[in-house]
Structures are given as C-alpha cells and as structure tokens.
C-alpha cells in the first residue's frame, strides 16, 4: 500500500465543520410508565444522523433491580419488525442499529456515544422489576451533517418531482459527514462508486466542492500497490485504503476528477491528481487481452457494476473502461496534455467491444462465456460509446421486450441507466424511469432513498437479510442531480 502524506495532509485541512441541530420527536409517548416487555417508539418526522440523549425516571417503589433496556434506531419503520436472531447473512450483525443497556440508577440521563442514522427510535424494557416502572421523560438528538442547508435552492418542478428532489437532497445531506459516506447506517465510509454520484449531485445542490476535493485527495493519498485507487477507504483510526480491489471503482477516479474540474474550474487540483487518474488506465490494461477485450474473472467482486449476484460483469467492465478512457481523454484535453495514444486505444477498444460482445442475431450485447443478456451490459456499452446514438436508443428500447435479461437492482445501476438514456437522446424516457423507479420508493414512504430497490422484490438483499440494508444510501441521490441538471422546471412534462 502507498501513502502520500502531503496529500493526506491537504485532505485533513479540508475536513469540514459539522453543523449541529438538536431535534426532538414529533410523536411518541413521553412520560408513559413502562413495565417489563413494554416499548415505546418515537418518530422524529424525517431522516437524521446523530447522537441520542435520553432522560429516564421511574414510577412506583424505589428501583430494586437495574432496568435492562434495548434501544433501536430505524431509518424505516419496517426495520423495527425485524429480528436480529433471524438474520444469518454474510455482512456483520454489528451494523444492526441497536444497543442493550443496563440503567443501574434512576433517574438518569443516557448519552449515547455511537452515531446512528434514524427517523424512529424504539425503547423497549427487556426487564426491570414488578415493583417499579421505567419512564422515558425526554429524548433529544444532536444531529450532524456537513451539508449547508442555507445553500440549497428549492427545485421548481411539479409536486411529484419536487418530492423526489427533496428526498434525494435529504439522502445526500445525511451522507455528507466528514467525507461523503456511502450510507450513515452502513458502511459509513468512502466508496469510489458512490462518491462519483454524490459529487455530481453535490454540484447541483449543496455545492460543497471542498468536500469533493478532500475525498479526491484521500483516495489519491492512500492507494493500493502500484498506485491503484482503492474501492473504498477506512477513515478511522487513520485513513487507510481497503484491500478490496474493484476494476470499475479504481477507474471511476477519472470521471470523478474530470467532473470536479468541469464543475469547479480548479485546475491546480486536477493537475496535481492527473497522474493518479491516468495510472488507473494503465493498471486496468492488465485486465485487457491482446484483442482489446476485458478478460472475465471468477474472483468475486472483481468488478462491482450492481448488486445482482447473478450478473456476469465482463461486458459492463468493457463499457466502464471505455467510458473512463473517454473521461481521461477529456481530462487531458482540458489540461492541455497529449492524448493521441489514448484516442487510438479508445477506437481499438470500442471496435473490439462491438466485435466481441455484440450478438448480431439477437441485436444486443451478451456477456461472459455463457453469453448472458443483462441490462447492465447494454447500459455500459452504450455509455462506452460503442454504438451510434440511434443504435443505442433502439437497443435500450428493444431491451424492454427482453424479460429474461438480468435486471438492475440498485439505484446505483439505475443512475447509469438514466445517463445512458440521456446520452442517446431519450430524455423523456429517462424522466419516466426516474418517476417510476425512485417514485416507487417515495410511494412506500421513503424519507431518503435506499441502497437497494427491486420493484419486483421488496425483500431483496445481497447480504442475506434486509435488516442490514441501508435506507439512506448515497448512490441513490440521482433525482436531485438529473432533475436539476436536465429538467429545468419549464421543461418538465408529466
Ligand atoms: C456496498 C455499499 C457501497 C458500495 C459497495 C460496492 O458495500 O453499499 O455503497 O459502493 O457495496
């Protein structure tokens, strides 16, 4: 692993101050005596991230045993119906937002040390004694975000779109902490794929450009062997790159830097981080064969693309490589650097993509030895510029009559789908998808958009149980980006 102390120092200097706001529940019964087995749920009316402080007292005789309680935090109400004991998935139970505690002396104030992401807080008495009852006298949360609410302008669309925009902004806001976290419930760290989308949305909303800069320096300042940008970074106790390697996430450093330069004009940063960006192309080439085709791999998670566990990633990886190579060329052009070799490579690799992945009979792209058909492959090869605009539009339309195709299961992949639709000139279609997909979450009462949403299967989770799913997830904040960038109020049609 490599570390560039100067860049990490720069990132440190850019650490944002957090805005604090004290919030109280909008409903839930304070002052209610609770016996063993009773519980009370407080609703804070919106999604927050922060630290709870709870005042307890007792009724009845003097407490003659500790009150043993469980405090649970939920982003959605349905999380409170789920049981930890029933979760046997592969992601740690440690992410489940709950604590069991003993209150030895009453009255007392419980200051919870751990930060939680929530709209609801449930307090349950696991046991006390028949001689007294526990009372929640007061509950207040010190909530935190680095997003500056004063900067955010309202989006002027119809009521449905304005609501989607609002939920999307809320999602981004809760994820904006000392870095752009992927989700404040889980994993609470900096992932490259999420950062790319958060940064795009940020330029249209909270304008915390310094936070994007900080995250770029963090990624460039702590890299894997040979200077490969990691898929994610741990923030505590020190910044450290995770040893998880993902073909696509390393490459996404390039468009993220390009978008940053385009949005801010900060040439100095782009110049300084240019070599890191270009190195990702060089390293990605190790995965490309002599014909210009990305080699497939059995290594689990070698390339992320989406949380569909049955997805073959080869064709998507090719599309992502092309997309990022194109970004590298644009970055080079903006900085006045030579790009001829990359331009030649782009042509060769695009042609290779068409030759290798295009199924002329079925008129679509296939992926892997099994020639799998998926939405992701089409979306990414369209974004990689393998087809003309008209061909791309026709392909994406044709996919709607391919029910066997592997589906997209995350807002992350849907973001890329919207991008592809816009790239082929299908702006109206993109808006329809946005209304349908993100609207589906909104109709289910979402305050923030979720990590996973498969309209056909509300209980989908790649982790083996929904209890560890994150319901405020950075990569789903797309509506605020797309609506504000492409659909000015006047242009919106129902
Ligand atoms: C999960 C997180 C994160 C994502 C990675 C690939 O652990 O949801 O947001 O970027 O997967």
């Amino acid at each position: 692993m490599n570390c560039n102390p100067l860049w990490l120092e720069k990132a440190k200097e850019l650490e944002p101050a957090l805005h604090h706001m004290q919030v109280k529940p909008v409903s839930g019964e304070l002052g209610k005596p609770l016996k063993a087995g009773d519980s009370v749920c407080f609703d804070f009316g919106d999604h927050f991230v922060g630290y709870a402080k709870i005042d307890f007292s007792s009724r009845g005789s003097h407490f003659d045993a500790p009150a043993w309680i469980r405090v649970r935090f939920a982003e959605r109400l349905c999380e409170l119906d789920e049981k930890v004991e029933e979760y046997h998935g592969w992601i740690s139970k440690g992410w489940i937002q709950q604590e069991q505690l003993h209150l030895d002396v009453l009255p007392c104030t419980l200051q919870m040390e751990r930060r939680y992401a929530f709209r609801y807080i449930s307090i349950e008495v696991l046991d006390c004694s028949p001689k007294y009852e526990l009372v929640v006298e007061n509950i207040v949360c010190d909530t935190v975000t680095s997003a500056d609410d004063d900067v955010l302008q309202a989006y002027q669309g119809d009521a449905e779109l304005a609501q989607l925009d609002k939920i999307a902004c809320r999602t981004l806001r809760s994820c904006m902490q000392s870095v752009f976290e992927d989700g404040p419930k889980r994993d609470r760290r900096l992932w490259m794929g999420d950062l790319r989308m958060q940064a795009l949305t940020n330029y249209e909303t909270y304008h915390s450009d310094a936070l994007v800069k900080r995250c770029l320096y963090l990624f460039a300042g702590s890299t894997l062997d040979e200077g490969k940008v990691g898929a994610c970074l741990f923030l505590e106790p020190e910044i450290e790159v995770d040893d998880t390697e993902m073909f696509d996430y390393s490459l996404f450093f390039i468009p993220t830097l390009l978008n940053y330069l385009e949005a801010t004009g900060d040439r100095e940063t782009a110049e300084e981080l240019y070599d890191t960006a270009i190195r990702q192309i060089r390293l990605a080439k190790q995965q490309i064969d002599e014909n210009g085709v990305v080699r497939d791999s059995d290594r689990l998670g070698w390339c992320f693309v989406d949380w569909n566990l049955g997805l073959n990633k080869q064709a998507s990886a090719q599309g992502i490589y092309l997309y990022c190579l194109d970004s590298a060329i644009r970055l080079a052009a903006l900085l006045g650097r030579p790009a001829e070799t990359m331009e030649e490579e782009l042509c060769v690799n695009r042609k290779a993509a068409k030759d290798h992945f295009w199924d002329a009979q079925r008129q679509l792209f296939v992926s892997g030895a099994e020639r799998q058909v998926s939405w992701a492959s089409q979306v990414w090869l369209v974004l990689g510029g393998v087809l003309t605009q008209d061909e791309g539009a026709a392909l994406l339309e044709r996919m709607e009559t391919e029910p066997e195709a592997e589906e997209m299961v995350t807002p992350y992949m849907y973001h890329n789908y919207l991008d592809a639709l816009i790239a082929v000139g299908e702006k109206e279609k993109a808006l329809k998808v946005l209304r349908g997909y993100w609207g589906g979450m909104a109709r289910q009462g979402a305050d923030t958009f979720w990590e996973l949403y498969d309209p056909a299967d509300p209980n989908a989770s790649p982790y083996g149980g929904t209890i560890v799913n994150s319901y405020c997830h950075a990569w789903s904040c797309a509506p605020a980006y797309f609506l504000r960038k492409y659909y000015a109020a006047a242009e919106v049609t129902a």
Side-chain angles (χ1 to χ4, degrees):
M1 293 190 190
N2 300 300
C3 164
N4 182 323
L6 273 179
W7 288 355
L8 292 182
E9 195 47 43
K10 263 195 189 184
K12 205 166 167 200
E13 279 162 21
L14 291 163
E15 181 165 349
L18 295 180
H19 304 278
H20 290 253
M21 188 169 79
Q22 310 298 311
V23 298
K24 292 189 161 207
V26 295
S27 75
E29 228 181 312
L30 289 170
K32 180 179 158 195
L34 304 167
K35 296 191 291 297
D38 288 350
S39 64
V40 58
C41 179
F42 298 97
D43 178 358
F44 286 75
D46 208 339
H47 189 277
F48 291 101
V49 178
Y51 306 84
K53 191 169 98 176
I54 314 171
D55 295 329
F56 291 98
S57 70
S58 61
R59 297 276 189 283
S61 302
H62 194 283
F63 59 92
D64 57 343
W68 180 32
I69 60 165
R70 181 159 70 152
V71 186
R72 292 193 290 161
F73 296 78
E75 300 186 299
R76 293 179 68 205
L77 211 45
C78 63
E79 288 168 86
L80 297 177
D81 296 330
E82 297 182 284
K83 297 208 169 37
V84 190
E85 311 77 55
E86 290 169 12
Y87 172 70
H88 303 291
W90 61 272
I91 258 197
S92 170
K93 286 189 178 74
W95 289 116
I96 299 169
Q97 300 200 104
Q98 65 160 28
E99 285 188 39
Q100 290 190 13
L101 299 138
H102 292 86
L103 307 176
D104 287 303
V105 179
L106 291 164
C108 71
T109 295
L110 174 67
Q111 173 65 66
M112 301 195 75
E113 297 289 321
R114 190 161 187 266
R115 202 197 73 189
Y116 284 102
F118 63 95
R119 170 172 167 176
Y120 306 95
I121 301 182
S122 142
I123 301 171
E124 188 185 341
V125 182
L126 296 173
D127 212 350
C128 54
S129 103
K131 293 188 71 177
Y132 78 93
E133 291 163 314
L134 186 71
V135 176
V136 180
E137 295 288 355
N138 198 17
I139 177 162
V140 59
C141 293
D142 176 25
T143 65
V144 285
T145 173
S146 61
D148 184 353
D149 291 331
D150 293 340
V151 170
L152 187 68
Q153 310 251 315
Y155 171 72
Q156 310 289 343
D158 65 35
E160 185 194 18
L161 294 182
Q163 193 207 5
L164 297 182
D165 174 79
K166 183 167 164 275
I167 301 171
C169 289
R170 192 79 193 174
T171 308
L172 183 61
R173 181 188 190 277
S174 284
C175 293
M176 285 170 72
Q177 300 295 333
S178 81
V179 296
F180 284 102
E181 291 183 11
D182 62 332
K185 169 182 169 185
R186 210 218 76 241
D187 303 320
R188 301 165 57 146
R189 56 181 183 253
L190 181 57
W191 284 86
M192 191 69 232
D194 304 67
L195 173 64
R196 179 172 77 93
M197 293 174 178
Q198 284 169 298
L200 287 171
T201 309
N202 167 68
Y203 304 133
E204 307 295 327
T205 56
Y206 292 103
H207 302 284
S208 278
D209 300 347
L211 190 62
V212 182
K213 180 172 172 182
R214 167 168 153 81
C215 294
L216 287 167
Y217 273 106
L218 286 174
F219 270 114
S222 181
T223 51
L224 296 160
D225 289 345
E226 299 178 79
K228 187 170 195 181
V229 170
C232 95
L233 298 180
F234 295 106
L235 309 169
E236 304 284 355
E238 300 291 336
I239 297 294
E240 190 178 320
V241 64
D242 186 6
D243 54 13
T244 309
E245 275 187 49
M246 289 175 177
F247 179 82
D248 46 352
Y249 273 34
S250 301
L251 283 167
F252 282 136
F253 184 84
I254 309 167
T256 310
L257 183 61
L258 170 69
N259 297 335
Y260 173 78
L261 175 60
E262 287 169 339
T264 64
D266 177 0
R267 208 184 151 103
E268 198 185 318
T269 298
E271 290 280 5
E272 194 159 35
L273 301 182
Y274 182 76
D275 288 348
T276 304
I278 298 306
R279 191 171 309 123
Q280 306 317 306
I281 294 289
R282 230 181 37 236
L283 293 168
K285 276 194 209 159
Q286 296 169 359
Q287 189 74 27
I288 297 179
D289 72 13
E290 59 290 355
N291 300 317
V293 175
V294 173
R295 261 185 247 107
D296 205 356
S297 166
D298 308 331
R299 183 170 69 78
L300 193 71
W302 71 276
C303 181
F304 174 63
V305 186
D306 196 10
W307 263 129
N308 175 339
L309 297 173
L311 187 66
N312 179 281
K313 319 279 176 79
Q314 190 190 11
S316 301
Q318 179 92 14
I320 292 166
Y321 178 72
L322 295 171
Y323 177 84
C324 294
L325 187 54
D326 183 58
S327 298
I329 294 168
R330 286 163 56 199
L331 186 62
L334 285 176
L335 298 178
R337 310 274 187 127
E340 292 76 26
T341 321
M342 291 197 287
E343 278 161 5
E344 279 162 29
E345 280 167 5
L346 185 62
C347 286
V348 170
N349 291 322
R350 274 186 178 153
K351 184 171 178 310
K354 186 83 192 275
D355 293 347
H356 188 84
F357 296 106
W358 184 251
D359 184 323
Q361 206 189 345
R362 299 186 69 181
Q363 289 289 298
L364 41 73
F365 292 110
V366 292
S367 181
E370 312 271 303
R371 302 178 67 77
Q372 183 189 74
V373 177
S374 71
W375 275 92
S377 302
Q378 323 305 317
V379 164
W380 273 116
L381 286 166
V382 164
L383 284 172
V386 176
L387 302 177
T388 63
Q389 249 209 358
D390 289 350
E391 287 168 344
L395 169 65
L396 293 178
E397 195 180 335
R398 203 174 314 124
M399 280 303 287
E400 291 171 30
T401 56
E402 285 286 333
E404 301 296 304
E406 287 291 331
E407 299 281 356
M408 302 174 275
V409 300
T410 56
Y412 173 76
M413 192 55 222
Y414 268 83
H415 176 126
N416 299 320
Y417 177 37
L418 290 194
D419 241 352
L421 284 169
I422 291 172
V424 299
E426 292 288 346
K427 238 179 111 182
E428 284 312 309
K429 181 73 212 270
L431 187 60
K432 206 169 145 214
V433 172
L434 191 154
R435 284 187 198 270
Y437 185 72
W438 276 269
M441 287 182 260
R443 284 187 285 280
Q444 291 181 53
D447 300 296
T448 47
F449 288 123
W450 313 336
E451 173 186 19
L452 301 139
Y453 176 54
D454 180 354
D457 180 6
N459 289 322
S461 169
Y463 310 121
T466 48
I467 197 166
V468 291
N469 286 6
S470 151
Y471 294 105
C472 171
H473 216 71
W475 67 22
S476 65
C477 62
Y481 163 64
F482 285 104
L483 290 173
R484 288 165 186 255
K485 186 169 166 102
Y486 295 107
Y487 306 94
E491 290 179 38
V492 172
T493 53

